[in-house]
Amino acid sequence: MERPPLAGIILAAGKGTRMKSELPKALHSVCGVPMAELIARAMRGAGVERPIVVVGHGGDLLVKALGNKCDYAWQKEQLGTGHATLMAADLLRGHKGSVLVTPGDTPLLSGAALRLLADHHFETGADCTVATVHLTNPTGYGRVVRDGRGNVVAIVEDKDASDEIKLNNEINTSIYCFKTKVLLDILPTLKNENSQGEFYLTDTVTAINANRGMVHPIVFGDFEMMIGVNDRWQLAEASKALKTRILKRHAHAGVTIVDPDTTFIGVDVEIDLDTVINPMTSIEGNTRIGAQSEIGPNTKVINSTIGNGCIVLMSHLNDTTMLDRSRCGPFANLRPASIIGEGSKIGNFVEVKNATLGPGVSVSHLSYIGDGSVGATANIGAGTIFCNYDGFSKHRTEIGEDAFIGSNTTLVAPVTVGDGAMVAAGSVITHNVAAHALGIGRGRQEVKEQWAAQWRKRKQATDKH
Ligand code: UD1
Ligand code: CA
């Protein structure tokens, strides 16, 4: 049977007072991705084409972060979860299926769980299906009240609950699937007569029962997935839980994670088979790492692409590409728009920025390669500096294939050293060096025979007096 259409609403208008933050709560990130974006992805994973995000507090920032893959409804005043859902009603008029409703603060929620919820909802034909979990400490959550047949007859908020209801440890995750029409009919009828003076979405459950409708629970065993983040400590706990899930996913896919406690891998990172991630390593953003590479220890990689068989040792990489079998570190700093060629070697205390290195290049020690290019198999000696900045603008240094730059060379850009050329150690190069030529720019060495011996002799003679 074909599944009826499925819409989705993410409630993300709240300020999140308990976060004590200038940012709206749903924009706080877990493992590098804003919570609302994680939930929007889960919704898409469950088959919702364009989730509707209800925004209010800091709404412009949320719209900017989530972009045009979502629709938006505005809740100008935060009058409660029921009122927030009502703000999405106009976008749902005439919708002939069901609608998932989730808060914006459950970052571990998966698409598979939402799909399970929707499938169950369509199978039973309930008016509303609510995802519940059993918690050892249910304090703060809405409690689920069931009738003799196991259907949900009410959800009572912690702040409104009697001592008896507070003993109930089955809680409302705030993740629901409603028949769209049923939801749209009930929302305008909600009242705010409760301890918080808010329009509660949870009151739709009582209203559906009053109309002889049916609310089904679906109990999830994985309570961690339903964690709601209300303060920064819960944010930290959610980050830790999601981090562990991400590490496990990579480990099960054939990546060695040497120390899960000190390894951080962001949600969108991809890593191929037999790569080893050593301790104290953080891999973030849209980073892609090939097979059989070794990353870390003590390494941070952001938005970078690393090929197969690479080694990244105690280094910092941001927006960089390392091609197959290249290596860097210890203590390399590879900054945006750097491309390290196949099999190239970047050694200790080397900084590269906006530069393209061909295959087989060697920059083994203490250099700055900024704004330029280095041809295949060129050798850059220790202490080479690309002087790219004149105080006003940046200029480029181009080094040809197989060139040899002696140690402690200063290349004053714009300048070119041709293919196969050599530059003598200690040179300050201000003019181009032609292919296969030698560039030398330093004081000529003088050797004074016996000078040292004579000087010592003079000193000894004068000191005796
Ligand atoms: C809510 C549920 C509670 C459930 C818990 C699960 C209600 C009344 N309570 O409580 O039963 O156990 O989630 O985590 O629904 N929001 C708006 N506009 C508003 C108010 C809230 O958009 O006017 C958004 C918030 O940004 C948030 C979500 O709704 O993403 C939930 O609000 P929150 O204040 O966190 O509700 P809880 O107190 O956690
Ligand atoms: Ca919450």
Side-chain angles (χ1 to χ4, degrees), residues 138-160:
T139 308
Y141 287 96
R143 308 298 205 285
V144 173
V145 181
R146 300 211 201 186
D147 66 10
R149 288 170 300 165
N151 293 330
V152 182
V153 289
I155 291 169
V156 185
E157 288 308 290
D158 192 72
K159 286 185 175 132
D160 303 304

Side-chain angles (χ1 to χ4, degrees), residues 117-190:
L117 169 65
D119 286 346
H120 185 80
H121 174 79
F122 287 129
E123 269 162 33
T124 64
D127 295 291
C128 168
T129 308
V130 48
T132 75
V133 290
H134 292 275
L135 293 183
T136 31
N137 178 13
T139 308
Y141 287 96
R143 308 298 205 285
V144 173
V145 181
R146 300 211 201 186
D147 66 10
R149 288 170 300 165
N151 293 330
V152 182
V153 289
I155 291 169
V156 185
E157 288 308 290
D158 192 72
K159 286 185 175 132
D160 303 304
S162 64
D163 287 347
E164 195 198 332
I165 285 182
K166 277 188 180 162
L167 289 176
N168 180 356
N169 75 348
E170 183 180 15
I171 64 107
N172 167 32
T173 62
S174 211
I175 296 157
Y176 319 81
C177 195
F178 289 93
K179 279 187 178 154
T180 309
K181 186 173 181 317
V182 172
L183 180 68
L184 293 189
D185 287 348
I186 283 173
L187 285 175
T189 70
L190 294 180

Side-chain angles (χ1 to χ4, degrees), residues 356-428:
T356 301
L357 278 57
V361 167
S362 209
V363 192
S364 293
H365 339 260
L366 303 153
S367 293
Y368 174 55
I369 311 297
D371 298 302
S373 66
V374 180
T377 63
N379 185 89
I380 310 290
T384 296
I385 305 295
F386 284 24
C387 303
N388 58 332
Y389 188 48
D390 58 13
F392 295 91
S393 38
K394 302 281 170 70
H395 304 281
R396 291 182 63 83
T397 299
E398 320 285 353
I399 309 284
E401 281 182 21
D402 222 11
F404 184 95
I405 310 296
S407 293
N408 202 29
T409 292
T410 300
L411 294 150
V412 183
V415 73
T416 300
V417 176
D419 291 348
M422 297 181 88
V423 170
S427 290
V428 177

Side-chain angles (χ1 to χ4, degrees), residues 4-138:
L6 185 66
I9 303 174
I10 301 170
L11 306 179
K15 181 175 189 311
T17 314
R18 291 165 279 182
M19 295 294 281
K20 303 208 169 79
S21 175
E22 294 291 315
L23 277 186
K25 177 166 73 174
L27 206 50
H28 280 266
S29 288
V30 171
C31 296
V33 179
M35 291 197 277
E37 169 65 20
L38 287 171
I39 297 161
R41 291 183 189 185
M43 286 232 176
R44 286 185 211 109
V48 176
E49 254 171 59
R50 290 180 68 79
I52 300 167
V53 188
V54 182
V55 295
H57 185 86
D60 289 330
L61 295 173
L62 267 163
V63 172
K64 202 169 157 219
L66 272 64
N68 59 12
K69 283 159 85 184
C70 296
D71 291 319
Y72 299 93
W74 282 83
Q75 186 195 26
K76 292 266 152 35
E77 255 187 298
Q78 279 71 66
L79 302 178
T81 48
H83 180 259
T85 314
L86 178 63
M87 298 302 105
D90 279 347
L91 291 171
L92 283 173
R93 296 249 180 262
H95 184 260
K96 293 224 166 19
S98 286
V99 55
L100 291 166
V101 182
T102 71
D105 63 1
T106 47
L108 270 76
L109 184 59
S110 73
L114 282 178
R115 187 175 281 275
L116 207 69
L117 169 65
D119 286 346
H120 185 80
H121 174 79
F122 287 129
E123 269 162 33
T124 64
D127 295 291
C128 168
T129 308
V130 48
T132 75
V133 290
H134 292 275
L135 293 183
T136 31
N137 178 13

Side-chain angles (χ1 to χ4, degrees), residues 423-438:
V423 170
S427 290
V428 177
I429 297 297
T430 51
H431 296 98
N432 293 346
V433 179
H436 308 291
L438 167 72

